[in-house]
Amino acid sequence: MVNILHIDSSPRTERSHSRELSKQFISAWKAGHPEDVIAYRDLGHHPVPHVDEPWIAAAFSPPESHTPELAEAIQISDDLVDEFLAADRYVFGVPMYNFNVPSTFKAYIDQIVRPNRTFAVDAQGSYKGLVEGKKAVFITARGGDFSATSPLVAYDFQEPYLRAIFAFIGVTDILFINANSLDEGDDSRTQSLSQARAVIQDLITQW
């Protein structure tokens, strides 16, 4: 049995391509693996708080030293980290906003990238990811063409950032399904979504 954490981050509902594609992935996966457990979090409609000063004080101090205020400030983060670590695999639906991730997803990342929970620093100042043996799939929706041969690829700060920050905490087995050119006309959108759906179906048998 595999535990999967499925997260959507688009504020849109029916018109969200990232939601549609991540839902397709999860539905196909459940059909072939009915024994697996799926946890779902909707950051687009139920965002998590941004990091604030009490959070920082709590995250960088021993739990036994926390005042009630600091314990309360870090509680949501603790819950999110526990949920994240309990999963074996992750499926993320992430639209591209201004060449990167939505603020809802960035806030989530800031909550789970935690010293001594998801990464550590040794005596020499070297960083080590503590999240090991996990797999992640990022399903992205992009208005323009940010594929490898496009002039816009230099503006893709989404995939490089996600690869870097998740590798930082130890998640290096990462796959991307990028639906590009969704705002470039009906034909481009239809072709891109069809390609993404085909990749999803192929991936289900291999992941």
Side-chain angles (χ1 to χ4, degrees):
M1 183 179 70
V2 173
N3 292 311
I4 296 177
L5 177 58
H6 172 204
I7 291 181
D8 280 320
S9 55
S10 174
R12 302 200 300 180
T13 306
E14 291 83 2
R15 297 187 299 124
S16 170
H17 298 299
S18 62
R19 282 181 184 273
E20 174 196 349
L21 293 172
S22 73
K23 181 179 179 180
Q24 178 188 339
F25 187 104
I26 291 296
S27 297
W29 183 268
K30 288 171 65 175
H33 306 83
E35 73 283 0
D36 288 352
V37 177
I38 313 292
Y40 180 64
R41 183 170 290 277
D42 186 344
L43 299 175
H45 295 157
H46 304 284
V48 299
H50 289 282
V51 165
D52 58 14
E53 186 171 3
W55 187 100
I56 295 170
F60 290 90
S61 62
E64 60 271 17
S65 70
H66 289 173
T67 64
E69 178 192 19
L70 293 187
E72 181 180 0
I74 206 68
Q75 184 60 59
I76 291 176
S77 179
D78 283 340
D79 294 343
L80 292 171
V81 171
D82 289 345
E83 178 184 67
F84 184 78
L85 294 177
D88 304 301
R89 303 183 184 189
Y90 312 105
V91 177
F92 300 110
V94 189
M96 176 183 276
Y97 283 4
N98 297 320
F99 311 128
N100 209 315
V101 301
S103 64
T104 52
F105 198 61
K106 179 59 167 63
Y108 174 78
I109 289 171
D110 290 343
Q111 291 284 357
I112 65 167
V113 177
R114 288 266 307 276
N116 303 316
R117 294 297 312 273
T118 55
F119 76 91
V121 187
D122 65 20
Q124 288 72 44
S126 298
Y127 294 99
K128 175 179 173 54
L130 302 178
V131 187
E132 299 178 339
K134 315 286 189 178
K135 294 183 177 184
V137 172
F138 290 92
I139 301 174
T140 75
R142 290 115 171 263
D145 180 8
F146 294 86
S147 60
T149 58
S150 168
L152 289 178
V153 69
Y155 292 93
D156 179 5
F157 299 100
Q158 183 187 51
E159 181 173 337
Y161 167 68
L162 290 172
R163 285 190 181 277
I165 193 63
F166 277 83
F168 177 75
I169 61 174
V171 183
T172 56
D173 191 339
I174 295 175
L175 295 171
F176 275 81
I177 302 173
N178 297 323
N180 288 292
S181 305
L182 298 179
D183 292 341
E184 296 184 355
D186 292 343
D187 290 344
S188 294
R189 180 169 55 253
T190 298
Q191 180 180 4
S192 183
L193 291 174
S194 295
Q195 290 173 346
R197 294 186 187 106
V199 172
I200 287 171
Q201 290 304 319
D202 289 342
L203 182 57
I204 290 298
T205 64
Q206 306 168 24
W207 195 47

